[in-house]
Amino acid sequence: MERKFMKGCEAVAEAAVRAGCRFFAGYPITPQNEVPEYFARRLPEVGGQFVQGESEVASINMVMGAASAGVKAMTSSSSPGVSLKAEGVSQAANGSLPLVVANFMRGGPGGGSIQPAQSDYWQATKAMGNGGYKLIVVSPGTLQEAVDLTYKAFELAERDRNPVMILADGCIGAMMEPVTLPEMKSDEQLEKEKQARKNWLVNGFKHREIGPVNIDLWGGRTSMLAMEAIAAGEKPGPRGLEESNRVSGELYERWAKEDTMVELYKMEDAEYVITGYGTAGRVAKSAVDALRAEGVKVGLIRPIIVFPFPYDAYKALDPKKIKFILDVEMAIPGQMVEDVKFAIQDRIPIHQFGRSGGNIVGREEIIAAFKAL
Amino acid sequence: MEKVYSVPSTKHEVVGGFCPGCLHGVVVKLVCEVQEELGILDRTVCVVGVGCCCITARHWKCDVMNAPHGRAPAVATGLKRMAPKDTVVYTYQGDGDLAAIGLSEIMYAANRGENFTVIFVNNSTYGMTGGQMAPTTLVGMKATTAPFGRKAEDVGYPLHMCEILNQLGAPTYLARVSCDSSPNVIKTKAAIKKAFQNQIDGKGFSLVEIMSACPTNWGLSPLDSIKFMREKTMVEFPLGVYRDR
């Protein structure tokens, strides 16, 4: 395993390449410009292609085209740019295309600021675009997590044939840390993986085991399943948009059971809980350590995958033991706190502390907010 | 008896779905005939736009991908670049899709000289949504969103896509043809064939703009629509080969 000192944006891009990403299209926007810049010089080395799209909208659509040709593909942006990509992500979710979208969040709403923020939790986890669909949303708090989750994002996208979002904030993109890079997937391995999905690719039917497909087979996710069923000599199941949405709904329910990821830190004897994700979660962790040094029995709940949300980690809290929960986010009003409230349902008092407008939440101010309660 | 004419083997035998007098059906048939003659069906992908053009999706026997409104050239860019080398990709778009909401995507795909084919059907209106003003609606021509006729002083003039794209360095082939008459249909087929052959030869971006009619939204009979094309739209949009390299 190779260990390197890297910048967040570049670490994400390199992890993507090692996961097999061979196509990237993106449009410049701060604070994630190092992502397209890295891909522009890296992808030609591995036989991939980089295209600087004329817009965010064009970029996500190019990625959809590459994904439908069976190539692992990715785009990246920051908050306002991700809004523009929503159209394509919605289309990709309906078409059941595996691809990865990274959002290095900055201040909002609107153009907001170019400094780090966690302004898009609602957008990423509740309604990324029109139509009612969901994505697995991974949210790293360290660069090592950013690398590992990027690698995982491609595997999840392939497994579910659904877009996956990397929800990082500008801090994760801009800072440098040592990271252990994952193994580079070999061309043979990537070809093998591509062969495994050949029966739903849209790149000319001579590459599939089934010939021309007529419109009777159409209907979002069910088209793909039907094509594979026919290729396997089985009877295709029911099809159509409603059926497709039902199948997608079942997928989202499976995620809730199988794919949550959360860090519980010093929770065994905790009487207080601080919770946050991404950079806010990381700073909150250092606040927990500082408070523990003063003898305060405080623990941390840090969601690492924010959708599916780890409701169970909060539901398991004992109201007789936990005096209150302090939710910390780089967003005003707080966004993730709504999911915490949903899990807790008035059983434990929940307080919220946030910074916004591109201000990074500080350890001392978290401690001050905690002590004021 | 020898069979001299039939539905191309490259087309699904389905009910049209187009209004009487619409020329989309002719264009679909021509594209399918070209695919048959070039023997490329099993390695071809159509990226369809949104509007009446997406009705064609049920006709194509080749692989079909639906793009969001206007984005077909971007989808085709990613697809063509990453698909197996011999894959043939074409977009099928109307004038609202290509020249309004998708103007940016078509300009940049053309400017990059992407090696795919664009079939662009221009009927001067938004057909599927009910006859709203299109980027190609003539000055003075009525539309449901221009009830008193298109006023140039308010909304400007029709966009001439072949002429606009002809300002760019990269495109290989830009032609405007029409399906108003048998001789023109034959010329249209030749242009479509050339646009596909260019791609197969790796020559780069080819676009065929095909003048069509929309009797339903023009409020004319099919025959009067043809007359309107010859007297009006084909005058505003002169036929010809604008670029051939």
Side-chain angles (χ1 to χ4, degrees):
Chain A
M1 290 286 189
E2 192 181 347
R3 196 155 168 82
K4 265 179 112 172
F5 191 59
M6 290 186 90
K7 189 167 182 167
C9 283
E10 300 189 338
V12 165
E14 179 59 30
V17 169
R18 287 170 183 243
C21 179
R22 291 294 178 270
F23 184 83
F24 179 94
Y27 183 83
I29 180 171
T30 307
Q32 61 81 59
N33 294 310
E34 294 84 350
V35 177
E37 288 166 8
Y38 191 88
F39 274 115
R41 58 182 186 268
R42 185 70 171 105
L43 280 175
E45 292 175 359
V46 293
Q49 287 214 34
F50 165 85
V51 180
Q52 180 170 329
E54 60 271 25
S55 68
E56 308 289 3
V57 178
S59 301
I60 182 70
N61 281 281
M62 289 175 193
V63 166
M64 281 165 56
S68 67
V71 170
K72 297 189 191 197
M74 175 176 177
T75 184
S76 166
S77 191
S78 180
S79 308
V82 172
S83 296
L84 294 172
K85 290 192 195 293
E87 171 195 79
V89 178
S90 179
Q91 186 87 354
N94 184 40
S96 207
L97 287 173
L99 51 89
V100 175
V101 182
N103 180 0
F104 293 85
M105 293 180 281
R106 61 189 236 181
S113 73
I114 60 170
Q115 284 79 26
Q118 295 179 317
S119 48
D120 306 331
Y121 177 92
W122 284 334
Q123 182 194 48
T125 61
K126 309 299 176 195
M128 173 60 203
N130 68 294
Y133 64 93
K134 293 285 188 179
L135 313 174
I136 290 183
V137 182
V138 301
S139 196
T142 67
L143 293 207
Q144 188 59 54
E145 270 181 11
V147 163
D148 296 342
L149 291 173
T150 299
Y151 203 83
K152 187 182 175 70
F154 281 90
E155 291 177 348
L156 292 172
E158 288 278 312
R159 185 196 69 182
D160 298 335
R161 295 165 195 177
N162 202 59
V164 173
M165 173 164 282
I166 300 167
L167 187 69
D169 52 72
C171 280
I172 296 290
M175 69 184 174
M176 293 187 78
E177 278 188 315
V179 291
T180 302
L181 291 168
E183 291 293 335
M184 180 87 174
K185 282 196 176 175
S186 67
D187 290 345
E188 295 72 40
Q189 200 173 347
L190 293 177
E191 184 54 35
K192 205 173 142 199
E193 289 177 19
K194 187 175 170 183
Q195 284 303 315
R197 56 182 179 269
K198 70 177 178 187
N199 281 323
W200 54 261
L201 298 186
V202 184
N203 58 355
F205 62 76
K206 78 170 187 179
H207 301 288
R208 289 195 303 264
E209 287 163 16
I210 63 167
V213 176
N214 69 29
I215 198 147
D216 294 341
L217 272 187
W218 288 31
R221 190 172 290 279
T222 49
S223 324
M224 183 179 285
L225 298 173
M227 283 160 76
E228 288 199 317
I230 292 169
E234 294 159 12
K235 194 167 172 273
R239 293 174 298 281
L241 188 54
E242 186 180 42
E243 179 63 15
S244 175
N245 291 341
R246 198 186 59 71
V247 173
S248 296
E250 288 172 358
L251 175 68
Y252 310 152
E253 281 173 22
R254 276 204 300 283
W255 292 348
K257 290 196 192 92
E258 296 166 11
D259 291 309
T260 57
M261 191 187 279
V262 60
E263 181 189 19
L264 303 178
Y265 182 67
K266 299 191 175 172
M267 285 295 295
E268 297 78 17
D269 61 341
E271 294 173 359
Y272 305 92
V273 173
I274 301 181
T275 189
Y277 72 101
T279 293
R282 176 189 183 133
V283 179
K285 191 173 183 177
S286 70
V288 165
D289 283 337
L291 287 164
R292 279 273 173 180
E294 294 177 24
V296 183
K297 288 186 174 174
V298 58
L300 174 81
I301 301 180
R302 184 174 66 89
I304 296 169
I305 288 181
V306 291
F307 193 90
F309 190 73
Y311 289 108
D312 289 345
Y314 298 89
K315 284 181 184 166
L317 297 178
D318 183 354
K320 293 192 202 81
K321 257 179 71 186
I322 306 294
K323 297 193 173 75
F324 65 76
I325 299 169
L326 174 62
D327 171 271
V328 179
E329 299 180 49
M330 280 148 57
I332 298 175
Q335 300 186 14
M336 187 186 83
V337 69
E338 292 190 352
D339 279 325
V340 178
K341 284 178 182 166
F342 184 75
I344 296 294
Q345 296 285 340
D346 293 331
R347 292 182 302 121
I348 300 168
I350 298 167
H351 304 282
Q352 213 274 326
F353 174 71
R355 293 301 306 275
S356 171
N359 294 297
I360 298 163
V361 68
R363 180 177 63 174
E364 296 312 315
E365 53 191 8
I366 294 176
I367 293 169
F370 180 89
K371 286 183 174 172
L373 294 168
Chain B
M1 199 191 293
E2 192 197 354
K3 192 174 183 180
V4 293
Y5 187 81
S6 71
V7 175
S9 63
T10 47
K11 185 183 163 310
H12 282 303
E13 289 195 39
V14 291
V15 176
F18 300 112
C19 301
C22 172
L23 300 177
H24 266 298
V26 179
V27 181
V28 169
K29 187 196 73 170
L30 296 178
V31 173
C32 286
E33 283 178 358
V34 166
Q35 288 179 22
E36 188 174 53
E37 288 166 20
L38 295 173
I40 54 173
L41 177 70
D42 65 352
R43 56 190 173 99
T44 296
V45 186
C46 176
V47 184
V48 288
V50 171
C52 286
C53 58
C54 70
I55 298 173
T56 65
R58 71 183 69 173
H59 294 263
W60 310 117
K61 211 179 240 183
C62 65
D63 274 4
V64 177
M65 186 166 176
N66 280 94
H69 200 15
R71 318 301 176 215
V75 172
T77 296
L79 184 63
K80 176 71 187 185
R81 284 177 178 236
M82 300 317 287
K85 282 244 169 305
D86 66 347
T87 307
V88 176
V89 176
Y90 67 105
T91 71
Y92 190 98
Q93 303 176 260
D95 44 286
D97 191 81
L98 182 140
I101 195 166
L103 185 61
S104 168
E105 282 77 10
I106 192 66
M107 287 294 285
Y108 276 86
N111 198 41
R112 289 189 301 267
E114 297 290 345
N115 187 32
F116 59 74
T117 305
V118 177
I119 305 298
F120 167 40
V121 179
N122 176 357
N123 63 4
S124 298
T125 188
Y126 283 84
M128 184 172 270
T129 47
Q132 293 81 12
M133 187 185 72
T136 44
T137 298
L138 309 186
V139 172
M141 190 174 173
K142 283 186 182 173
T144 51
T145 50
F148 311 108
R150 180 177 188 146
K151 288 196 179 81
E153 62 273 26
D154 186 25
V155 291
Y157 296 85
L159 291 186
H160 298 71
M161 288 311 299
C162 279
E163 291 87 332
I164 290 171
L165 294 172
N166 198 24
Q167 304 305 307
L168 306 174
T172 302
Y173 183 67
L174 302 167
R176 184 181 290 123
V177 290
S178 173
C179 281
D180 68 303
S181 66
S182 298
N184 275 342
V185 166
I186 291 166
K187 285 182 194 163
T188 298
K189 183 175 170 183
I192 292 171
K193 194 164 186 177
K194 186 171 182 74
F196 274 90
Q197 189 63 51
N198 280 348
Q199 179 181 169
I200 293 164
D201 297 342
K203 288 172 78 173
F205 184 88
S206 298
L207 176 142
V208 183
E209 176 175 350
I210 301 159
M211 298 305 295
S212 180
C214 184
T216 302
N217 288 302
W218 289 0
L220 298 172
S221 72
L223 285 178
D224 286 345
S225 298
I226 297 289
K227 192 160 172 266
F228 187 82
M229 281 174 73
R230 290 175 185 158
E231 289 173 2
K232 301 284 185 184
T233 63
M234 287 162 60
V235 174
E236 176 71 31
F237 299 99
L239 306 188
V241 176
Y242 287 80
R243 172 83 61 91
D244 186 5
R245 286 182 178 158

